[in-house]
Amino acid sequence: MSTRPTQKRPFLLGLTPLLAVSLATASLAQSSASQPAPAAAPSATTPSSATPVFEVAAIKPNHSGSGNSNSDTDKGLFTATNVSLKGLMQYEAYDIPPSRILGGPKWLDSARFDIQAKTDETVTDRLQKLDHEQNRLQTRAMFQQFLADRFQLRVHWETRELPVYALVATKNGAKLQPTKDTSGNSGTSTNGNGSSMKFTATAVTLAQLTQALTSEAARDLGREVIDKTGIAGKYDVSLNWTHDTSTAPDGSAQDSSISIFTAIQEQLGLKLESTKGPVQVLVIDHAEMPSEN
């Protein structure tokens, strides 16, 4: 399974990674039918003609056989090693968990690539002058255009009734710490050491927390998390759990490790209940292997 380096990311209402809000680029708009998105999914927006693009981009296949991947952006240069098309869609272009990406070719998650993509200095300077949300919108539009150009990616949004987890308070009540952050900014970070995982969030609402868990704990949950707590306010959250435990919603584990279900209940005074609900998914209509350059 692919892993990513630890990232700390701002978190705004409606989404949580590196470079969520979905923008339909010009070429995507011609070939895919974007739909208005509910709060838990990226919204569809048409970029202006001034939407920046990568000036140069090089793609090479990676045959290392490694399960690890990483990516980084520095001064307009995006570098990725051993990444899949699905990973690029998940982390860079749409910021949605893998369970919400449907269809696509057999090699969607198995073919790996090394990528270098660079913006020219004027674009880099312009992006740096934008506020965070606008920078994020523009950057994601760039990646969506990149995938449309180099992978011939065509997608559309659909809303489907799927299994989800509802986050609710336990009978003993939630154990949440009101935020001490007065800056007005929210943020989340996730890091792991082997099977141990640590998730922290600053000044998040419960709706934002569920969206972050959907993305950051996708390996352990495998489905969307929705907020049914009815709890208002913003909180600072710390959550520790381990991979490879029982994924039963009752939190039972086969060893001394702590499943995410148990961690949420014991550490936050909340619990996940299995149910069904409308989930917006990204359906892949077409994708091709990129040519090398």
Side-chain angles (χ1 to χ4, degrees), residues 220-262:
D220 300 275
L221 297 174
R223 62 176 75 175
E224 190 89 4
V225 182
I226 58 176
D227 175 28
K228 292 294 184 179
T229 62
I231 298 174
K234 293 186 175 183
Y235 301 90
D236 295 336
V237 176
S238 179
L239 189 64
N240 298 274
W241 75 94
T242 47
H243 288 315
D244 303 323
T245 65
S246 169
T247 56
D250 64 4
S252 61
Q254 297 179 353
D255 51 32
S256 60
S257 58
I258 302 175
S259 75
I260 190 169
F261 299 95
T262 297

Side-chain angles (χ1 to χ4, degrees), residues 109-233:
D109 199 29
S110 59
R112 299 303 179 105
F113 308 92
D114 295 337
I115 298 174
Q116 283 195 338
K118 184 174 179 57
T119 57
D120 64 33
E121 292 184 3
T122 58
V123 170
T124 302
D125 291 342
R126 192 173 79 184
L127 289 173
Q128 289 177 343
K129 293 176 182 178
L130 297 175
D131 62 36
H132 173 74
E133 184 174 10
Q134 287 301 314
N135 182 296
R136 182 174 58 181
L137 293 173
Q138 295 282 293
T139 301
R140 296 207 177 282
M142 290 170 59
F143 275 102
Q144 291 175 23
Q145 185 65 60
F146 169 72
L147 297 184
D149 291 341
R150 298 304 303 275
F151 288 85
Q152 300 302 303
L153 181 66
R154 303 292 182 265
V155 299
H156 71 275
W157 292 99
E158 289 183 9
T159 300
R160 298 186 181 183
E161 191 80 4
L162 297 174
V164 299
Y165 286 121
L167 185 70
V168 299
T170 64
K171 63 180 180 180
N172 294 325
K175 300 183 239 180
L176 297 170
Q177 298 296 322
T179 185
K180 298 178 182 178
D181 188 282
T182 59
S183 67
N185 297 321
S186 300
T188 67
S189 66
T190 307
N191 59 70
N193 181 13
S195 64
S196 299
M197 299 296 297
K198 181 177 179 62
F199 167 84
T200 58
T202 303
V204 294
T205 64
L206 271 294
Q208 290 171 331
L209 175 62
T210 58
Q211 292 169 40
L213 289 175
T214 297
S215 176
E216 301 303 327
R219 170 180 171 182
D220 300 275
L221 297 174
R223 62 176 75 175
E224 190 89 4
V225 182
I226 58 176
D227 175 28
K228 292 294 184 179
T229 62
I231 298 174

